[in-house]
Amino acid sequence: CSSDLAELASVARAADALAARGPFAGIVCNAGVQDAGPPRFSRDGHEAAFAVNVLAHAGLVLRLATPGTTRIAWIGSGTLDPDDAGARRFGFRGGRYTTARALAAGDGDPDVDDAQRARDRYATSKLCDLLLARALAARGYHAFALDPGLMPGTGLARAHPLARRV
């Protein structure tokens, strides 16, 4: 079963196909998009990091997870924390939540350049994942988020200039 996580209809089709194979003991929300410049948009018109990192995961989890049974892990990031010294060294300022509508539209701080807005979008998507995990946990799901730390070699930062890649 394959899916284009940037297209919500594709996510729904994949979730429906997977549901026939369930129930699931666990779901790991690990996909990630991190751009380095102006926002890119999904076919649905949502900013790419928000579409993949947040909306796709929420769509899968809400279709496949069973409260009290399914364990749900979001792979998070310290970039969401404005006080994380490691993230700050790479230019992250922490999650900057405004509204879901504004995040989906790719709106950001007009006083910074495209590269900073891209870092803000990624950090904010990870903040949204943490908030989703917390909200689902409050509703009886076994949901949590974890920060695996810096993950060199994953290709996540491939869109960044060489000096920013690890």
Side-chain angles (χ1 to χ4, degrees):
C1 174
S2 67
S3 171
D4 177 353
L5 294 175
E7 182 183 353
L8 295 178
S10 179
V11 171
R13 284 190 302 275
D16 290 345
L18 287 168
R21 300 177 186 184
F24 294 94
I27 299 171
V28 177
C29 300
N30 185 44
V33 168
Q34 184 183 113
D35 289 321
R40 292 181 306 121
F41 293 90
S42 69
R43 276 192 201 137
D44 300 319
H46 305 301
E47 188 277 321
F50 190 72
V52 172
N53 302 0
V54 181
L55 298 177
H57 290 150
L60 287 169
V61 165
L62 294 174
R63 286 177 176 265
L64 298 174
T66 304
T69 303
T70 312
R71 286 177 176 78
I72 309 157
W74 267 272
I75 304 304
S77 172
T79 63
L80 65 82
D81 181 0
D83 296 324
D84 185 294
R88 290 191 70 77
R89 273 194 297 275
F90 285 93
F92 289 95
R93 306 187 298 173
R96 305 178 74 78
Y97 187 85
T98 52
T99 68
R101 187 174 309 277
L103 297 174
D107 294 345
D109 184 345
D111 296 327
V112 298
D113 64 15
D114 283 340
Q116 184 62 59
R117 280 190 294 276
R119 289 188 294 275
D120 291 349
R121 287 192 304 272
Y122 178 76
T124 304
S125 75
K126 292 304 182 173
L127 173 61
C128 290
D129 288 344
L130 177 65
L131 295 172
L132 272 169
R134 186 173 179 176
L136 288 172
R139 288 165 178 79
Y141 290 84
H142 299 299
F144 62 96
L146 63 101
D147 175 8
L150 189 61
M151 300 297 294
T154 64
L156 181 62
R158 65 184 161 272
H160 293 272
L162 186 59
R164 289 204 174 266
R165 289 186 229 159
V166 176

